[in-house]
Amino acid sequence: FNKILVNDIEKSSEWYQENLGFKSIFKFKNEQNQILMEHLRLAKYKDLMLISANSLKSVMQFIQIYLYQIFEF
């Protein structure tokens, strides 16, 4: 997955869907029903993960996921 930090997941998702043809596959929401991550797919193996940059916690989760992929054991 390519992961992209965005300030507004809903607007970003809408842009990728309307302009590039991506489809929403999954939305991960918190207890307040705010979208923290959204999985978008254009075609098989052509995926994006939009990640909310609005909270420090989501940024830290992004870094953790990124580092895990680099240093995967």
Side-chain angles (χ1 to χ4, degrees):
F1 285 91
N2 287 306
K3 295 160 201 72
I4 302 172
L5 285 174
V6 296
N7 289 320
D8 188 325
I9 282 188
E10 292 180 19
K11 284 184 181 179
S12 298
S13 175
E14 183 180 323
W15 187 88
Y16 278 98
Q17 291 181 63
E18 290 180 6
N19 293 293
L20 300 178
F22 280 83
K23 303 288 183 212
S24 180
I25 301 298
F26 177 77
K27 294 178 183 179
F28 179 77
K29 298 179 180 182
N30 64 11
E31 299 83 24
Q32 293 79 34
N33 209 32
Q34 297 169 320
I35 302 169
L36 299 179
M37 293 189 301
E38 184 169 2
H39 177 182
L40 301 176
R41 177 169 288 155
L42 182 60
K44 189 173 183 178
Y45 305 119
K46 296 181 180 179
D47 300 279
L48 289 177
M49 180 77 69
L50 301 180
I51 302 173
S52 174
N54 292 332
S55 72
L56 180 58
K57 183 176 181 180
S58 64
V59 173
M60 295 305 291
Q61 289 171 340
F62 171 79
I63 292 170
Q64 182 181 14
I65 292 167
Y66 180 74
L67 291 176
Y68 178 78
Q69 289 180 345
I70 291 174
F71 300 108
E72 188 172 25
F73 297 94

